[in-house]
Amino acid sequence: MKTKEYYQELAKSLTPETRSFIGGKFVEGAGPVFVSVNPANGEKIAELHSNTAEEVMEAERIAREAYNDGRWSKKAPIERKEILCRLADLIMENLDELAVLETMDSGKPIYDNVTGDVPETAQTFRFHAEAIDKLQDEITPGDGKHLSMIVREPLGVVAAIVPWNFPMGMAAWKLAPILASGNSVVIKPASLTPLSLLKIAGLAKEAGIPDGVLNVVLGSGRVVGNALAEHPQIEALTFTGSTAVGKKLLVQSGETNAKRIFLEMGGKNPCVVMPDVKDLDHAAEEAVNAVFWNMGENCSSNSRLIVHRSIKDELVKKIVEKTKALVTGDPMDPATNMGALVERPHMESVLNYIDIAKKEGATLLCGGEQLYPETGGNYVAPTVFDNVTPDMTIAKEEIFGPVLGIITFDTEEEAVRIANDTTYGLHASVFTDDLKTAHRLSRAIQAGTISVNCYAEGDYGTPFGGFKQSGFLSRDNSLWANRQYTEMKTIWIEL
């Protein structure tokens, strides 16, 4: 890490790219202008021109041409691997600039971007690149008269729509396996946070990804997102975002060409703490990190703490102490734990959920208010509510902000019932000192990822995705993601 002053000066010196990236060139869109705003102070960073639906169609045509002529799809696996590994290197060579762009655009703390998001973006590309020449096709047992082969081929042109909470990381989760598998891609970043992906697009060209293979289109979901979802030829669309939008994408697919829709959506994730836990300091530390990391703007945030009555008071005391110790403030300061929420309407939504919790009878233990309004930034104090019941709004709805609700249970069966009492099923954490209990709860709780005695989403080698309305058909990370963006073909040869 460098100093706050260094990052502030670097931010002043940057001139972010503001144009779409289509056919290997940065081109200005013909659609309406939209503004990138710094969530930390409300100041304008840049003006960008969005794309029209016709320009999205043109981006797909260019991507299709690149796919069909084989400039990427037919490259030897080792060549694609070397280019994507070079991209990972370039990302790390531009670490500070990417980290500052991301902090300016999203409000995320610079510490998180320098130590986490940028290196993890690079490593995601490297992981999927290294898998390219190691995933093998199959020959099935035969009768001696036939040769039966199972091969995997790229899907073709894949669309991707990524969210604003982890702009680089989520883009890498999509782009790395899509490109590693030989596809062409048209990707739309969130309008709130487009800057880091545009920088990576330029680095991808420098790394050697052929023109037309990777295309970045800009604009609203209403225009650009719909154009991708309703495109009559795109083979698949991968999406991370809200459940409401994910459901709409399924309808749009069914009404057009039945393109595959890979969905990773919302979460209302439980953290269950059993009465046998001895190290409550560790449990409290992990619980606080789980809900307040990235200002709670995280689909896998453990926003429901489900704790046994016998240890609740002691654990809650530790959680409140650790919450009050968090530093909320200037995202460019390496000492900051929590930065600004991404935009003012989202901040107002989070504050409204806090007001609803108070009215419904939850007990506010700390936080609960906007901070530093004089700065023009979107800061909300990390907030903890006790005496939350499973039927309260903050126990049901995804707030996507720094708000923790504490629910008490008496039996293991009750804990499981509360944990599963949600339309979502993305992530859950379990804390217990008993191995049998860990296995029982990990099996009983309905979620795509269960972390035991820690808060974690796994790593590059483990699939990440959800149950129920958190998503289906889709897994990010791991070799499953590489396979996901391929078509399976059987070849049956008579000998």
Side-chain angles (χ1 to χ4, degrees):
M1 294 299 304
K2 299 181 176 68
T3 65
K4 172 182 175 180
E5 291 71 25
Y6 168 83
Y7 296 117
Q8 289 175 330
E9 287 303 313
L10 180 56
K12 292 177 184 176
S13 72
L14 294 179
T15 303
E17 180 57 66
T18 60
R19 297 167 295 173
S20 308
F21 186 76
I22 300 174
K25 299 177 182 178
F26 286 105
V27 293
E28 192 167 278
V33 171
F34 66 98
V35 178
S36 171
V37 176
N38 189 330
N41 53 31
E43 296 177 358
K44 180 175 74 174
I45 303 171
E47 292 185 352
L48 302 93
H49 281 268
S50 57
N51 291 113
T52 63
E54 292 75 20
E55 288 173 321
V56 174
M57 297 291 284
E58 176 65 7
E60 191 281 336
R61 186 196 66 77
I62 290 171
R64 178 77 54 189
E65 181 180 280
Y67 176 76
N68 287 341
D69 69 22
R71 69 187 74 167
W72 181 253
S73 59
K74 291 183 172 62
K75 270 190 182 296
I78 194 169
E79 292 183 79
R80 295 204 305 272
K81 179 179 78 170
E82 290 172 349
I83 290 171
L84 290 178
C85 283
R86 175 60 180 150
L87 174 56
D89 291 339
L90 287 171
I91 289 170
M92 290 305 297
E93 290 172 18
N94 289 268
L95 184 151
D96 285 349
E97 182 175 341
L98 282 166
V100 167
L101 278 174
E102 195 89 322
T103 293
M104 290 169 59
D105 216 15
S106 70
K108 297 164 66 72
I110 190 70
Y111 181 89
D112 290 356
N113 284 325
V114 170
T115 64
D117 288 43
V118 179
E120 289 173 11
T121 295
Q123 186 56 42
T124 298
F125 278 103
R126 194 176 304 281
F127 175 90
H128 292 286
E130 291 289 355
I132 292 174
D133 58 357
K134 300 172 183 67
L135 289 171
Q136 298 179 343
D137 295 330
E138 301 174 44
I139 297 177
T140 65
D143 57 7
K145 299 177 182 179
H146 301 86
L147 175 64
S148 170
M149 299 189 298
I150 302 172
V151 300
R152 287 187 173 271
E153 300 173 349
L155 290 175
V157 177
V158 179
I161 300 175
V162 293
W164 48 257
N165 58 331
F166 292 94
M168 273 186 293
M170 293 297 96
W173 279 19
K174 309 301 186 186
L175 289 176
I178 290 170
L179 294 171
S181 301
N183 300 283
S184 294
V185 60
V186 181
I187 184 169
K188 186 191 98 64
S191 296
L192 293 172
T193 54
L195 301 182
S196 59
L197 179 55
L198 291 171
K199 175 67 178 179
I200 288 173
L203 296 178
K205 181 178 177 68
E206 184 179 344
I209 293 179
D211 293 349
V213 172
L214 167 59
N215 305 276
V216 181
V217 290
L218 303 175
S220 68
R222 182 177 56 83
V223 176
V224 176
N226 283 343
L228 291 172
E230 296 172 0
H231 197 285
Q233 291 178 303
I234 285 173
E235 278 78 12
L237 187 154
T238 179
F239 169 78
T240 294
S242 73
T243 298
V245 173
K247 290 178 178 179
K248 182 182 177 184
L249 294 175
L250 290 171
V251 173
Q252 291 171 303
S253 169
E255 291 177 342
T256 53
N257 65 329
K259 62 177 64 65
R260 302 176 193 194
I261 303 291
F262 301 125
L263 299 176
E264 195 268 278
M265 301 183 288
K268 192 64 184 175
N269 310 290
C271 174
V272 178
V273 186
M274 300 300 288
D276 57 29
V277 174
K278 299 295 190 296
D279 190 353
L280 292 181
D281 280 310
H282 173 69
E285 188 73 32
E286 293 293 300
V288 167
N289 180 49
V291 68
F292 298 129
W293 174 47
N294 204 53
M295 296 77 70
E297 295 172 330
N298 179 20
C299 55
S300 63
S301 167
N302 285 346
S303 58
R304 293 184 296 149
L305 181 70
I306 303 169
V307 56
H308 193 272
R309 190 178 304 277
S310 65
I311 59 169
K312 177 197 150 186
D313 290 345
E314 186 178 356
L315 179 62
V316 169
K317 180 181 177 182
K318 294 178 183 295
I319 286 173
V320 171
E321 289 173 353
K322 293 179 185 298
T323 300
K324 290 181 176 179
L326 293 173
V327 178
T328 302
D330 184 355
M332 287 294 178
D333 189 339
T336 293
N337 303 121
M338 290 180 52
L341 300 188
V342 70
E343 65 168 342
R344 186 156 297 272
H346 181 56
M347 178 188 71
E348 292 169 352
S349 172
V350 171
L351 292 172
N352 183 56
Y353 274 112
I354 290 171
D355 287 340
I356 291 172
K358 294 175 183 177
K359 292 174 183 176
E360 291 184 352
T363 303
L364 179 65
L365 299 182
C366 63
E369 73 277 354
Q370 180 184 357
L371 298 176
Y372 320 127
E374 70 282 359
T375 66
N378 310 320
Y379 298 97
V380 172
T383 300
V384 179
F385 280 102
D386 195 5
N387 299 317
V388 174
T389 57
D391 60 331
M392 288 183 179
T393 302
I394 66 166
K396 291 288 189 184
E397 298 184 14
E398 185 179 31
I399 299 172
F400 224 65
V403 181
L404 175 65
I406 299 171
I407 303 171
T408 308
F409 73 90
D410 291 300
T411 67
E412 181 177 315
E413 292 75 20
E414 184 184 10
V416 171
R417 185 172 66 252
I418 295 171
N420 289 336
D421 184 18
T422 174
T423 58
Y424 299 108
L426 186 59
H427 174 267
S429 293
V430 173
F431 287 82
T432 176
D433 289 350
D434 183 82
L435 184 60
K436 292 181 179 180
T437 301
H439 279 286
R440 285 198 307 273
L441 291 181
S442 296
R443 292 289 188 170
I445 294 175
Q446 299 162 352
T449 298
I450 311 289
S451 55
V452 178
N453 292 331
C454 63
Y455 169 72
E457 296 177 350
D459 65 10
Y460 316 104
T462 57
F464 182 81
F467 288 17
K468 299 189 279 190
Q469 292 188 39
S470 287
F472 60 95
L473 292 179
S474 174
R475 289 295 184 265
D476 292 311
N477 291 332
S478 81
L479 298 181
W480 287 101
N482 288 61
R483 296 188 181 99
Q484 179 172 280
Y485 298 109
T486 62
E487 189 74 82
M488 184 185 295
K489 176 183 286 185
T490 295
I491 301 175
W492 184 266
I493 302 172
E494 185 173 331
L495 300 177

